[in-house]
Amino acid sequence: MPILNGRSVVITCRGILKDTFTGREATKDSLTITTSFMAVSEDECTISLPKETPCHSIIATTRVFAVSYIDDHLKRFIVDNAKHLRDYVDAFEHLNIPKGECSAIDSCMLTEADICLECEVHKELDIGKATVFAAKILHTHEKCQKSR
């Protein structure tokens, strides 16, 4: 698995989110940028997410997520606009970011990512205000392979 130096990492996931105002629940796609990603081996990785994020609650429940390597332009767009997201909205619809479907897990992925890893959680470690999720990499999408 190639590691792309200088790329940021976005975690994407799909799960049920609750509108804190109306109390309604709906399946939504969510995303978060993380600096706490590590490829442990060719088929294992870890991420650390703050407990208050929608992605944390979704991943703790669904046990799956996708990791996308993105360029700085897309990272700046997400950072500048995601701070206005409410916890219960579909991040992709709100930000108008193109998404694709993962093939090995029930989640979405960023179609503009250079590499996307589909992951299944096999272990959690509570570290106070965050959780470390250890996961098996089930499938890898590389942008260069799609264009061939």
Side-chain angles (χ1 to χ4, degrees), residues 1-115:
M1 172 184 65
I3 300 300
L4 301 175
N5 294 327
R7 296 292 195 219
S8 296
V9 174
V10 173
I11 306 302
T12 58
C13 55
R14 174 177 292 141
I16 296 174
L17 294 176
K18 186 176 186 175
D19 184 327
T20 53
F21 183 70
T22 66
R24 284 183 272 194
E25 294 181 339
T27 300
K28 304 286 184 179
D29 291 326
S30 191
L31 59 80
T32 190
I33 293 177
T34 185
T35 56
S36 302
F37 166 79
M38 182 171 55
V40 179
S41 69
E42 286 283 321
D43 61 354
E44 296 257 356
C45 69
T46 63
I47 60 169
S48 174
L49 295 177
K51 291 180 180 175
E52 73 272 1
T53 63
C55 282
H56 179 281
S57 61
I58 290 172
I59 294 168
T61 303
T62 64
R63 315 289 293 164
V64 295
F65 60 90
V67 177
S68 297
Y69 288 87
I70 61 170
D71 62 29
D72 285 337
H73 174 72
L74 183 54
K75 176 188 175 184
R76 278 191 301 277
F77 174 80
I78 292 171
V79 168
D80 290 346
N81 294 285
K83 59 187 164 199
H84 304 294
L85 290 176
R86 309 279 261 137
D87 287 351
Y88 54 86
V89 301
D90 187 301
F92 289 84
E93 289 176 12
H94 185 77
L95 297 174
N96 198 27
I97 298 174
K99 66 180 175 180
E101 291 296 317
C102 292
S103 57
I105 62 173
D106 181 17
S107 186
C108 60
M109 63 180 179
L110 291 166
T111 57
E112 295 181 28
D114 295 308
I115 293 178

